[in-house]
Amino acid sequence: MCGIFGYVGKRNDAGSLVIDGLKNLEYRGYDSWGIACKTDSKVSIEKDIGKISSIKSEDFSSNCSLAIGHTRWATHGGVTPQNAHPHANGTETIAVVHNGILENYQQLRRDLESKGHEFKSETDTEIIPHMIEEYMKETGDFTSAIKKSCEAFEGRFAFLALHTESNTLVAARRGSPLIIGVGEDGYFIASDIPAFMNHSRLVQYLDDGEMVVTDGESILFSSLKTDEEIQKREIEITWSVEEAQKGEYEHFMLKEIMDQKDSIARAVNQNEEQIETLADAIRNAKGTFLVGCGTAAKACMASEYFFSVISQKHVNFAPASEFKLYHHFLRPESLLIVVSQSGETADVLEAMQIAKSKGSKVLAIVNVEGSTIDREADYSLLINAGPERAVASTKALTGHMAVLMLIAYALDGKLKEGRKVLLETASEINDMLNPRYVDFVESVAERIQDQKDLFIIGKSWNYPMALESAIKIQEVSYVHAEGFAGGELKHGPIALIEEGTPCIALMGDDEVKNDIISNAIELKARGGFIIGIAPENNESFDVWIKVPEAGTAQALVNIIPVQALAYFLAVKRGKDPDMPRNLAKSVTVK
Ligand code: G6P
């Protein structure tokens, strides 16, 4: 979702620095870009639709030490150069880039229009510089006018603002993330760390309801409401620059699939005492709920089976966006487990607020350290997958499932056994992901690349993996894919099977194996082309993608060849798997 990046400091190439930083935020998903540079007492704004990757940063290297930039993912108003950020007031003295949605913007716009303000775009963002201008008439001061404007805004926002008369970069936040990079030559403010990772490895987090003002030498954090100054810790980033780059791979998605050779083992390597404490929290809770969005939601759903099979414990899954009406079940003794790669997903944050308002405790399982969810939860566990930049989530899924499974084992008093199962699985995955294996999966993608539809079936924990398989294939290859519980086939979906329709059957060597084989046979009888992903071959399979037998961890191994299949389908169909259309990596709006 929208990427924000700004710099102020001693360097005089702020324009090219911001363009380069925005290129590192491309993974978030966007459809237009723009930049505002302050030179002398002028602001020059350049913006356009399309990709920023082809823009030469050298073209923005003119003498400038204060600049803000943006990659926009359209919400209010179509994808047009006028709607791209930055937006300015009428006299172009104030420029703003913004992430989030100002819910009352129509009313505010009408009020401003009645005072003579004219607007050039259809966005909610454009009201921000006009509001600031209006309040500056009252306060005479840029930062106080920003605070007053924020009081009038309803909804979630994070924005950066600059003014021709001042050498300061100002940021305000309520809802959407902003992180400050502390550099030797100035300060960086971005919606995510990769924007400035090449320049700074020390960060400070802006929390909700806060504002930060910096002139590049000093920095002042304060509350948006009370003016009270706030002290911030500097935190060192633990990821290396290399980890956040593609390295030898053509795309981040493939790199991140291959990262699972060791990211699962890192996820399992948790502090045992902490896992036992969290298992206790679930044991003692009167009702445990699991929420997440997209791929993280599928990790939650798989965990319902982990907790049922491994620890005979009932936990309740809901997509975070569906959690609102569950608040009737929540009590102070309830526990909410939230699962998120980015730690910034708006629907997950809302679920946390609902739980907190009922006095319930929140346990977070996240990848990004220091993210809002990580900081706001009562307990938080990191999956340590390293930076995940492809929009399609891969290694975060297996990391989340590994941690949740570990907790399920701890709940049954068998943490050591759980570690052993998972570490053996991690080692099998390491062996599985060899070049020959990956080539074989690519050859399967080649056989089905021209098909219009694809169906995936699974049972027990392979059922959420069938749903996840469909998400992976849809989001990067744009092939129509649907996942089903094998047993549900004959209640509808089987009507869609025609001669040659590719159908993936996910299975393990477990008590539901024969059921899913029967489902595969039913599909084959209707002409389905069966791709079996299983530890053992079966005569119903037209193609067999072998996976190691992994017992309770079968879901973790079965999903990996599907991730690779989705990747190769995308590439073979000429799509960019790292930047799928209409999708964003971090969904910070509702
Ligand atoms: C977006 C991403 C998905 C991700 C979901 C939840 O839709 O494209 O890959 O699974 O958000 O994100 P989170 O960061 O909370 O795991």
Side-chain angles (χ1 to χ4, degrees):
M1 204 136 274
C2 307
I4 287 180
F5 184 39
Y7 167 80
V8 62
K10 291 197 189 115
R11 293 178 59 154
N12 61 5
D13 60 345
S16 46
L17 190 150
V18 165
I19 292 283
D20 283 336
L22 289 178
K23 289 182 182 174
N24 286 331
L25 293 181
E26 279 197 287
Y27 70 93
R28 293 170 71 85
Y30 71 105
D31 39 50
S32 49
W33 63 275
I35 182 169
C37 298
K38 192 201 149 212
T39 38
D40 304 322
S41 55
K42 262 191 18 236
V43 175
S44 46
I45 294 180
E46 203 151 326
K47 52 190 190 177
D48 208 348
I49 57 171
K51 295 291 172 201
I52 196 169
S53 35
S54 55
I55 303 299
K56 288 199 193 111
S57 59
E58 308 87 82
D59 295 347
F60 293 82
S61 61
S62 65
N63 198 17
C64 159
S65 54
L66 171 56
I68 56 177
H70 192 258
T71 46
R72 174 174 188 251
W73 191 82
T75 52
H76 289 65
V79 182
T80 63
Q82 291 77 12
N83 288 339
H85 302 206
H87 289 282
N89 58 332
T91 51
E92 301 208 341
T93 49
I94 300 164
V96 168
V97 292
H98 162 231
N99 186 4
I101 294 174
L102 303 181
E103 285 159 8
N104 58 338
Y105 83 102
Q106 285 166 322
Q107 181 58 47
L108 294 174
R109 185 164 161 150
R110 279 194 292 274
D111 294 349
L112 287 160
E113 277 168 341
S114 69
K115 291 180 181 148
H117 291 260
E118 284 176 16
F119 291 88
K120 295 179 180 148
S121 78
E122 302 154 281
T123 65
D124 52 341
T125 304
E126 199 183 356
I127 63 155
I128 304 176
H130 287 267
M131 288 281 285
I132 299 172
E133 180 193 318
E134 200 52 37
Y135 279 120
M136 278 184 79
K137 291 179 192 160
E138 256 176 52
T139 65
D141 167 57
F142 184 44
T143 51
S144 335
I146 292 178
K147 282 199 177 175
K148 280 202 147 292
S149 307
C150 290
E151 277 169 29
F153 297 150
E154 284 168 19
R156 298 163 60 81
F157 59 79
F159 66 83
L160 299 185
L162 58 80
H163 190 286
T164 46
E165 300 299 315
S166 138
N167 266 333
T168 52
L169 175 58
V170 184
R173 167 181 179 176
R174 193 200 293 148
S176 305
L178 279 180
I179 302 161
I180 289 86
V182 183
E184 284 180 6
D185 307 323
Y187 285 95
F188 308 87
I189 306 183
S191 35
D192 204 356
I193 293 169
F196 56 75
M197 216 170 160
N198 295 333
H199 308 288
S200 163
R201 307 195 54 76
L202 273 186
V203 299
Q204 294 176 310
Y205 291 96
L206 191 68
D207 283 305
D208 268 354
E210 292 180 357
M211 174 194 227
V212 61
V213 183
T214 171
D215 59 3
E217 285 190 10
S218 60
I219 188 156
L220 180 77
F221 291 86
S222 64
S223 157
L224 273 174
K225 280 207 178 114
T226 62
D227 278 342
E228 177 200 349
E229 192 177 329
I230 297 167
Q231 299 303 323
K232 290 280 171 178
R233 273 190 317 136
E234 288 180 0
I235 298 165
E236 193 163 351
I237 307 165
T238 47
W239 303 342
S240 69
V241 173
E242 292 69 41
E243 269 182 286
Q245 287 170 346
K246 276 188 274 198
E248 66 194 89
Y249 296 98
E250 204 177 325
H251 295 103
F252 279 111
M253 184 175 174
L254 184 58
K255 173 189 181 263
E256 288 158 11
I257 292 169
M258 299 305 280
D259 277 354
Q260 292 171 108
K261 280 162 162 265
D262 43 45
S263 61
I264 296 171
R266 283 203 303 276
V268 177
N269 192 16
Q270 298 284 338
N271 176 310
E272 293 196 359
E273 223 172 280
Q274 210 181 354
I275 295 285
E276 296 286 10
T277 309
L278 296 176
D280 268 345
I282 298 175
R283 197 173 285 123
N284 299 329
K286 301 236 163 32
T288 298
F289 299 85
L290 269 162
V291 303
C293 293
T295 295
K298 303 305 171 292
C300 296
M301 199 175 166
S303 304
E304 279 194 313
Y305 293 94
F306 301 157
F307 283 103
S308 164
V309 173
I310 299 167
S311 41
Q312 295 79 54
K313 179 82 185 169
H314 180 213
V315 295
N316 306 271
F317 156 71
S321 55
E322 286 297 317
F323 191 64
K324 217 171 199 164
L325 292 183
Y326 278 47
H327 72 87
H328 299 289
F329 294 131
L330 294 171
R331 291 184 271 165
E333 306 80 25
S334 314
L335 178 70
L336 176 69
I337 304 180
V338 295
V339 177
S340 172
Q341 188 286 129
S342 63
E344 301 292 351
T345 305
D347 284 323
V348 179
L349 281 162
E350 187 184 68
M352 283 173 78
Q353 274 156 13
I354 293 169
K356 285 187 166 190
S357 71
K358 292 283 182 161
S360 315
K361 290 273 181 272
V362 178
L363 157 62
I365 301 177
V366 296
N367 189 32
V368 179
E369 185 171 13
S371 56
T372 310
I373 293 174
D374 178 32
R375 284 176 295 136
E376 290 187 359
D378 297 293
Y379 324 90
S380 185
L381 280 182
L382 296 172
I383 60 167
N384 301 317
E388 190 185 71
R389 296 187 53 179
V391 168
S393 183
T394 52
K395 61 179 176 174
L397 169 77
T398 46
H400 282 137
M401 288 201 291
V403 170
L404 284 158
M405 186 178 282
L406 206 57
I407 299 174
Y409 270 102
L411 199 51
D412 194 36
K414 293 184 179 145
L415 177 55
K416 294 229 172 331
E417 182 185 327
R419 270 179 66 90
K420 189 164 167 283
V421 169
L422 283 158
L423 287 174
E424 277 168 12
T425 303
S427 150
E428 298 265 23
I429 287 171
N430 189 358
D431 294 344
M432 175 178 93
L433 282 173
N434 60 62
R436 234 165 28 129
Y437 189 81
V438 176
D439 285 352
F440 177 66
V441 176
E442 182 175 2
S443 72
V444 178
E446 199 158 337
R447 285 181 74 169
I448 59 171
Q449 65 180 17
D450 296 322
Q451 297 288 336
K452 282 198 323 293
D453 308 297
L454 212 158
F455 299 98
I456 309 104
I457 55 166
K459 199 171 171 69
S460 87
W461 37 59
N462 278 316
Y463 163 43
M465 291 306 99
L467 301 180
E468 169 59 12
S469 301
I471 295 186
K472 279 291 97 44
I473 293 165
Q474 292 159 5
E475 64 186 338
V476 295
S477 74
Y478 314 150
V479 172
H480 167 235
E482 284 188 60
F484 300 103
E488 283 295 299
L489 267 179
K490 48 190 165 301
H491 300 292
I494 204 158
L496 300 170
I497 307 302
E498 292 173 359
E499 195 58 40
T501 306
C503 304
I504 299 175
L506 301 173
M507 60 181 91
D509 191 8
D510 50 28
E511 59 186 295
V512 297
K513 174 177 148 187
N514 289 336
D515 295 335
I516 207 83
I517 288 178
S518 302
N519 298 143
I521 292 170
E522 286 158 13
L523 288 168
K524 198 174 172 73
R526 272 84 187 170
F529 175 76
I530 312 297
I531 301 166
I533 297 187
E536 265 179 34
N537 202 352
N538 183 273
E539 59 197 34
S540 64
F541 299 166
D542 293 291
V543 170
W544 175 38
I545 301 182
K546 186 176 180 191
V547 285
E549 205 283 299
T552 48
Q554 196 66 47
L556 277 79
V557 293
N558 281 8
I559 193 63
I560 294 176
V562 191
Q563 295 169 342
L565 190 72
Y567 168 78
F568 286 117
L569 270 177
V571 173
K572 293 195 177 298
R573 291 165 61 87
K575 315 294 175 207
D576 180 348
D578 284 349
M579 272 177 270
R581 68 183 178 205
N582 305 341
L583 296 174
K585 177 75 185 154
S586 177
V587 181
T588 51
V589 294
K590 283 176 46 59

